Each structure stands twice: as C-alpha cells, then as structure tokens.
Amino acid sequence: MIEALDREIEQKKARRSDLMQKAKEEERRAETRRKIIYGGAFFAYLATLSPENERRVKAAIDAMIKNQRDRQFLGLSDE
C-alpha cells in the first residue's frame, strides 16, 4: 500500500512538472508574439513620422539596445 502511494506521488510530481514546463513554454510563446506585435506597431508608427522625428525616435530606441551581438545584427555602431 505504501509503495502504491509512493508511485502515485511520483506520478503526480511528474505530471506537475510537465504542466509547469508546458505553462513556461506557452508564456514564452506569448511573450514572443507580444514582441512581434509591438515591433510591427512601432515600425508602422515610425512610418507616420516626419523624417527628422523618425531619426530622433529611432536613435532613442537604438541607444537602448545594449547587447553587442544585437547591435551588430541590426547594423548599429558600437557604443
């Protein structure tokens, strides 16, 4: 009887772990989707600005990108 309960506990722990992993994956996908949607909206917004304001806003955003690999990928200068 105790062995059966121990097996059941282990099965429930494994199920809990699987569900937690699935929740993390779903949140990661949702976060990626949010970034894509906001990124698209940002580019649409930039297209509505005058060239001078577009450069100013883009420069402010570019300055917030600190990761060197990301800056290189985007063709931004070194900080």
Side-chain angles (χ1 to χ4, degrees):
M1 172 129 188
I2 292 177
E3 291 173 0
L5 288 174
D6 286 342
R7 273 194 306 276
E8 186 177 344
I9 289 170
E10 289 305 314
Q11 289 172 346
K12 300 232 184 235
K13 283 182 181 180
R15 175 76 174 137
R16 180 179 184 273
S17 178
D18 290 345
L19 290 173
M20 289 179 68
Q21 183 62 32
K22 184 176 180 180
K24 284 180 186 179
E25 290 172 7
E26 288 175 4
E27 180 53 35
R28 202 168 24 250
R29 277 190 223 105
E31 180 65 18
T32 298
R33 185 171 184 203
R34 279 191 287 277
K35 289 175 182 178
I36 290 168
I37 292 168
Y38 274 110
F42 175 73
F43 281 116
Y45 169 71
L46 281 180
T48 69
L49 300 176
S50 68
E52 180 181 322
N53 282 339
E54 180 183 349
R55 282 190 297 273
R56 184 178 54 78
V57 170
K58 191 169 179 319
I61 297 300
D62 290 350
M64 297 180 77
I65 300 169
K66 304 295 184 190
N67 183 292
Q68 188 60 35
R69 187 172 167 204
D70 292 342
R71 294 186 66 77
Q72 183 179 14
F73 173 78
L74 295 171
L76 303 175
S77 63
D78 295 340
E79 288 190 329

